[in-house]
C-alpha cells in the first residue's frame, strides 16, 4: 500500500513507544504534528517523499514526551518579577539578595520572592526584623521552598493591618514573638491570605514571564505536557492558602494558548476556598468552560486538605514527634469537604487533592466515598497528590474508588531534609515509611509522576524516574540509606508514570503519552538507552532533543 508523504520522518532510533501492542520500533513518520506511522525503518521509508525532512536518530533512545502531573508553573515568577532564593543557603545570603533585588527594582511595588529553606530556621520560622534591616519602605513577601509559608517584613504587616490581636483564620498560623505577642514575620497556610489579598497581584505579563521560563526548562528536560494545580479565579479574594498573588494566571495561559505561544500542553485545576460553600463549584465550572483551546484546558478543582510536614500543618493520625500535642489540622471540615466533592462530582469536574498526612488522606477518601454514593461511579479521575504518610488500610479504599495517585519521586531519598527535618518531626520509624509507591501500584492504583515544581527546581523527569527506581541519594551505596526498599518501582513502571499514566490523569490518553499513530508527535530523544545503563545513571542521561507536536522545541548541540 502506498503511504502518503510525511512532513518529517525520524529514523534509526530505539523507540520505546509505551504502547503495549508494539513496545519498540525504529522509526516514526509525522504529519501535521501527529504520528502517521510507527514501525521498522524499512516500512517507514515508504513515507519519505521529496519534501520530507528525514532526521537520523543515530541509534538513540526515543520516549514519548514526559508529562509532569503536578507543577506550579504559574505561581512562580521569573527573575525579573521576583527574587528566586532556592539556590541560596543562609540567612545572610537571603538578606544580601533581598537588598540587591530591591535596589535593582525600584519599580516593584512589592518585593516578591520565594524558595527559602525551612531547615535554616527554628520551628517558628524566620522573622520580620531581619527583613526590616534591608527593606523597610516597601512590603517584602517571600514564599518558603514548599509554597506554604510567607516570610514578610513590618511594612507588609502594617499594610495588611495585622496586629498582635489579629486572630489567624482557620487552617492558618500567625507566628508571634514570645515576648511582645506581635506577629514575628512568618505566616502559615491560610494566614498568608491576610497579607496576599492586600498586596497587588502579579501582572499578566509577569506571569507570562514565569510560564516562558518554565517552558524553556521543560523543553530542555523533555516535558511536553504539564498540569498546573494552582489556577486562581480572577476575582477571588478569600482564603486562597496564600496564592492570591497569582490571580491573573488563567488569563496569562489563555492568552498564550490563543497566541500559539505554549510549547507545552497545559492542563490545570482551579483552587477552592475552604471558607466558601459548595456553590463556588459553579463559578469554577463556568471559568473552566470558557477555555477550550487544545493547548490549555481546565479539568476541575484543586483542594488543599492539609498543609506540609515542615510546618507541622500536615494532618496526621498520630501527633508530631517534636510537638506531641499536635496532629496538625485539616484546612476543611469534613462536612464542607463532602458537599464540595459531591457538587464537583455532580458537575463532572475532576478533583485534584493535596493530602500529605494519613489523616488528611483518610478524610479525602471519606469525602470521595460520599461523592460516589451520591452521584455514582463516573469517569472523573479524581486524584490525590503528595501521599507522604498513608495508613495501609486506606490503600484498598483508594483503589476501590479509582483514585489516581500523584507522588513526587524526587523526594524519595534519605538526604539532609529527611534526617534534619522529616525524621525529627515525624519520628524515625514513621519517616522510614514515607512515600509508598510500589504498594499503591500493586493494589491496582494508577500512578502519575510529578515534580511539584518549583518545590523541585530543576525538575527533570529522568531524575524522578531514577529516584522512583532507586529510592536513595544519587551515589549512595549504603543499603540502609534506601528509603523503603520494598517500595522501589521498575524502570518500565516509572516511565509509564511520567508518560501514559500522566496522560490518563489529564484526560489526554488519546492525545499523548505514548508513540502511536494518531497521537500528537510528542517525543524526547535521549543520549543513552535507559534499559542498558545502571539505574544510578538514568538522571545523568542527556536529553538530546524534545519534540512537541512534531516541532523541535529543544536540541542539544550533540545531535
Ligand atoms: Zn503542590
Amino acid at each position: 500500500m502506498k503511504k502518503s508523504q510525511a512532513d518529517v520522518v525520524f529514523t534509526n532510533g530505539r523507540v520505546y513507544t509505551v504502547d503495549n501492542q508494539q513496545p519498540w520500533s525504529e522509526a516514526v513518520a509525522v504529519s501535521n504534528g501527529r504520528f502517521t506511522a510507527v514501525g521498522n525503518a524499512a516500512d517507514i521509508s515508504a513515507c519519505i517523499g521529496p519534501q520530507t525532512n528525514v532526521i537520523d536518530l543515530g541509534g538513540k533512545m526515543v520516549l514519548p514526551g514526559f508529562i509532569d502531573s503536578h507543577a506550579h508553573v504559574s505561581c512562580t515568577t521569573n527573575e525579573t518579577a521576583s527574587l528566586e532564593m532556592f539556590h541560596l543557603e543562609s540567612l545572610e545570603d537571603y538578606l544580601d539578595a533581598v537588598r540587591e533585588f530591591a535596589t535593582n527594582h525600584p519599580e516593584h511595588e512589592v518585593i516578591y520572592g520565594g524558595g527559602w529553606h525551612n531547615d535554616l530556621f527554628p520551628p517558628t520560622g524566620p522573622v520580620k526584623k531581619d527583613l526590616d534591616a534591608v527593606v523597610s519602605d516597601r512590603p517584602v513577601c517571600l514564599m518558603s521552598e514548599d509554597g506554604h509559608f510567607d516570610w514578610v517584613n513590618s511594612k507588609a504587616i502594617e499594610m495588611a493591618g495585622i496586629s498582635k490581636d489579629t486572630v489567624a483564620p482557620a487552617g492558618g498560623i500567625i507566628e508571634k514573638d514570645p515576648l511582645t505577642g506581635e506577629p514575628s514575620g512568618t505566616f502559615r497556610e491560610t494566614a498568608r491570605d491576610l497579607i496576599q489579598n492586600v498586596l497587588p497581584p502579579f501582572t499578566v505579563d509577569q506571569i507570562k514571564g514565569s510560564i516562558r521560563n518554565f517552558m524553556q526548562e521543560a523543553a530542555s528536560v523533555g516535558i511536553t505536557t504539564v498540569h498546573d494545580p494552582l489556577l486562581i479565579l480572577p476575582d477571588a479574594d478569600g482564603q486562597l492558602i496564600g496564592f492570591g498573588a497569582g490571580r491573573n494566571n488563567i488569563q496569562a495561559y489563555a492568552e498564550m494558548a490563543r497566541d500559539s505561544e505554549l510549547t507545552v500542553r497545559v492542563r490545570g485545576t482551579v483552587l477552592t476556598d475552604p471558607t466558601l460553600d459548595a456553590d463556588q463549584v459553579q463559578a469554577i465550572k463556568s471559568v473552566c468552560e470558557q477555555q477550550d483551546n487544545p493547548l490549555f484546558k481546565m479539568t476541575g478543582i484543586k483542594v488543599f486538605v492539609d498543609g506540609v510536614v515542615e510546618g507541622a500543618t500536615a494532618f496526621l493520625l498520630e501527633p508530631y514527634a517534636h510537638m506531641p500535642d499536635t496532629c496538625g489540622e485539616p484546612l476543611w471540615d469534613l462536612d464542607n469537604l463532602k458537599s464540595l466533592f459531591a457538587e464537583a462530582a455532580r458537575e463532572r469536574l475532576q478533583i485534584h487533592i493535596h493530602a500529605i498526612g494519613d489523616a488528611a488522606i483518610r478524610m479525602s477518601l471519606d469525602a470521595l466515598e460520599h461523592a460516589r454514593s451520591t452521584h455514582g461511579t463516573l469517569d472523573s479521575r479524581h486524584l490525590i497528590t503528595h501521599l507522604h504518610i498513608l495508613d495501609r488500610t486506606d490503600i484498598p479504599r483508594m483503589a476501590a474508588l479509582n483514585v489516581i495517585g500523584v507522588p513526587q519521586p524526587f523526594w524519595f531519598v534519605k538526604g539532609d531534609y529527611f534526617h534534619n527535618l522529616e525524621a525529627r518531626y515525624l519520628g524515625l520509624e514513621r519517616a522510614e515509611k514515607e512515600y509508598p509507591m510500589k504498594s499503591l501500584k500493586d493494589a491496582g492504583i494508577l500512578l502519575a509522576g510529578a515534580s511539584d515544581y518549583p518545590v523541585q527546581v530543576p525538575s527533570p523527569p529522568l531524575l524522578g524516574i531514577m529516584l522512583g527506581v532507586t529510592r536513595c541519594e544519587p551515589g549512595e551505596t549504603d543499603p540502609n540509606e534506601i528509603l523503603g526498599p520494598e517500595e522501589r518501582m521498575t524502570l518500565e513502571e516509572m516511565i509509564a508514570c511520567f508518560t501514559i499514566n500522566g496522560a490518563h490523569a489529564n484526560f489526554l490518553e488519546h492525545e499523548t503519552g505514548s508513540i502511536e499513530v494518531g497521537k500528537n508527535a510528542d517525543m524526547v530523544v535521549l543520549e543513552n538507552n535507559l534499559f542498558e545503563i545502571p539505574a544510578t545513571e538514568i538522571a545523568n542521561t542527556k536529553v538530546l532533543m524534545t519534540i512537541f507536536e512534531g516541532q523541535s522545541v529543544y536540541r542539544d548541540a550533540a545531535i
Side-chain angles (χ1 to χ4, degrees), residues 70 72 229 302 304 354 385-386 452:
H70 183 99
H72 302 287
K302 165 69 184 289
F304 279 95
H354 164 119
T385 190
H386 305 323
D452 208 19

Side-chain angles (χ1 to χ4, degrees), residues 48-363:
I48 300 174
Q51 307 297 325
T52 303
N53 179 14
V54 179
I55 296 177
D56 184 336
L57 295 165
K60 300 296 182 195
M61 186 183 207
V62 178
L63 288 175
F66 293 127
I67 298 172
D68 188 331
S69 294
H70 183 99
H72 302 287
V73 175
S74 63
C75 282
T76 64
T77 42
N78 69 359
E79 303 218 340
T80 61
S82 80
L83 171 64
E84 198 271 290
M85 302 167 74
F86 284 93
H87 62 289
L88 302 175
E89 295 294 342
S90 71
L91 174 62
E92 211 169 52
D93 289 351
Y94 293 161
L95 298 179
D96 286 346
V98 171
R99 184 189 295 112
E100 190 188 325
F101 188 85
T103 310
N104 293 342
H105 296 281
E107 76 286 5
H108 285 207
E109 287 177 70
V110 184
I111 306 299
Y112 279 116
W116 53 268
H117 301 291
N118 289 291
D119 59 0
L120 290 178
F121 297 100
T124 46
V127 294
K128 64 184 177 185
K129 71 172 196 304
D130 287 328
L131 288 176
D132 293 346
V134 290
V135 179
S136 56
D137 58 333
R138 276 179 283 172
V140 177
C141 182
L142 308 170
M143 186 167 79
S144 57
E145 58 191 329
D146 47 61
H148 287 256
F149 320 129
D150 281 336
W151 173 21
V152 303
N153 67 351
S154 292
K155 185 73 183 175
I157 294 172
E158 181 195 308
M159 279 175 69
I162 298 165
S163 71
K164 63 174 188 234
D165 302 321
T166 307
V167 178
I173 296 168
I174 303 174
E175 296 289 358
K176 297 203 168 153
D177 184 303
L179 296 176
T180 63
E182 293 289 339
S184 59
T186 296
F187 289 72
R188 301 197 189 275
E189 311 290 351
T190 56
R192 302 166 63 204
D193 300 308
L194 299 173
I195 307 265
Q196 295 237 357
N197 290 344
V198 174
L199 302 182
F202 290 121
T203 65
V204 171
D205 279 342
Q206 283 176 331
I207 294 172
K208 284 183 179 174
S210 70
I211 297 168
R212 286 184 195 114
N213 219 39
F214 173 81
M215 291 195 309
Q216 233 177 20
E217 191 178 312
S220 73
V221 297
I223 295 171
T224 52
T225 301
V226 68
H227 187 101
D228 186 330
L230 263 182
L231 301 175
I232 313 287
L233 286 181
D235 51 0
D237 65 354
Q239 282 190 17
L240 298 165
I241 333 288
F243 294 100
R247 294 193 284 273
N248 291 319
N249 62 3
I250 293 176
Q251 194 185 339
Y253 278 125
E255 288 182 12
M256 290 175 82
R258 178 199 67 197
D259 300 339
S260 303
E261 210 204 314
L262 293 176
T263 55
V264 285
R265 188 177 297 104
V266 180
R267 293 297 178 267
T269 33
V270 182
L271 186 59
T272 50
D273 180 339
T275 60
L276 302 178
D277 62 23
D279 283 355
Q280 63 186 305
V281 167
Q282 293 307 323
I284 292 173
K285 187 180 177 228
S286 73
V287 169
C288 289
E289 283 171 350
Q290 286 162 26
Q291 299 303 325
D292 197 28
N293 189 307
L295 289 174
F296 172 54
K297 285 185 191 178
M298 288 174 273
T299 55
I301 64 169
K302 165 69 184 289
V303 184
F304 279 95
V305 173
D306 67 347
V308 289
V309 169
E310 48 269 37
T313 51
F315 182 36
L316 303 176
L317 292 171
E318 302 289 333
Y320 282 88
H322 71 306
M323 292 169 77
D325 294 333
T326 182
C327 291
E329 269 175 42
L331 295 168
W332 291 75
D333 75 53
L334 183 58
D335 285 340
N336 268 356
L337 197 65
K338 283 182 175 172
S339 332
L340 181 85
F341 284 10
E343 184 69 3
R346 191 169 75 91
E347 295 297 353
R348 298 180 172 251
L349 293 176
Q350 185 181 33
I351 306 173
H352 190 116
I353 301 164
H354 164 119
I356 282 185
D358 40 13
I361 293 165
R362 180 165 296 169
M363 187 173 159

Side-chain angles (χ1 to χ4, degrees), residues 327-402:
C327 291
E329 269 175 42
L331 295 168
W332 291 75
D333 75 53
L334 183 58
D335 285 340
N336 268 356
L337 197 65
K338 283 182 175 172
S339 332
L340 181 85
F341 284 10
E343 184 69 3
R346 191 169 75 91
E347 295 297 353
R348 298 180 172 251
L349 293 176
Q350 185 181 33
I351 306 173
H352 190 116
I353 301 164
H354 164 119
I356 282 185
D358 40 13
I361 293 165
R362 180 165 296 169
M363 187 173 159
S364 307
L365 295 173
D366 291 345
L368 287 170
E369 239 159 37
H370 168 79
R372 175 177 284 196
S373 69
T374 317
H375 298 292
T377 307
L378 302 165
D379 181 18
S380 317
R381 308 192 193 184
H382 303 317
L383 47 85
I384 302 182
T385 190
H386 305 323
L387 298 161
H388 290 219
I389 304 143
L390 178 48
D391 190 90
R392 299 281 145 170
T393 60
D394 286 322
I395 295 177
R397 290 179 69 206
M398 197 172 154
L401 286 161
N402 285 329

